[in-house]
């Protein structure tokens, strides 16, 4: 892994230590809720409440980055290896081909005639 793609959990933990950003879990959750609400309000405003397509602007990466940083900070504060947790979820959602269940004929939505 390249140096710029180092373990994000470690990067967040080190910066949080340096910036003295650690807070109680409840406070971190409220902050995450605020960040997510701001993102939702931005999209709703830019799309006329969903009537027009959303086009991410130049601030979108920063906004998503702040939200992701907060999630990593919450994981650090609660002792969760976020990389492992997200990887496990991804494997559940899209298992390797050999682990995917084969469709049962009785469950197939279209029957041959």
């Amino acid at each position: 892994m390249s140096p710029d793609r180092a373990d994000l959990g470690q990067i967040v933990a080190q910066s949080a230590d340096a910036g003295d950003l650690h807070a109680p879990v409840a406070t971190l959750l409220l902050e995450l809720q605020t960040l997510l609400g701001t993102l939702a309000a931005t999209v709703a405003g830019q799309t006329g409440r969903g009537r027009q397509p959303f086009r991410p602007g130049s601030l979108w990466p920063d906004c998503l980055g702040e939200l992701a940083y907060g999630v990593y900070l919450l994981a650090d504060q609660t002792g969760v290896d976020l990389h492992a947790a997200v990887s496990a979820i991804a494997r559940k959602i899209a298992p390797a081909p050999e682990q995917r269940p084969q469709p049962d004929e009785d469950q197939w939505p279209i029957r041959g005639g």
Side-chain angles (χ1 to χ4, degrees), residues 5-103:
R5 296 270 183 189
D7 179 24
L8 285 175
Q10 185 178 17
I11 291 169
V12 169
Q14 289 172 351
S15 70
D17 289 344
D20 196 23
L21 297 178
H22 298 290
V25 170
T27 302
L28 293 174
L29 286 170
L30 288 171
E31 191 169 320
L32 284 171
Q33 185 177 14
T34 300
L35 290 169
L36 186 57
T38 300
L39 283 174
T42 298
V43 171
Q46 289 179 357
T47 63
R49 298 178 89 61
R51 290 186 294 275
Q52 302 161 0
F54 174 65
R55 306 268 192 275
S58 61
L59 296 178
W60 188 250
D62 289 341
C63 292
L64 283 180
E66 287 179 14
L67 181 65
Y69 184 93
V71 170
Y72 271 93
L73 185 56
L74 178 64
D76 179 60
Q77 288 294 97
T78 57
V80 172
D81 179 348
L82 201 53
H83 179 83
V86 170
S87 296
I89 296 296
R91 285 190 300 274
K92 286 180 188 175
I93 291 171
E98 64 273 6
Q99 296 174 334
R100 291 186 188 133
Q102 295 301 314

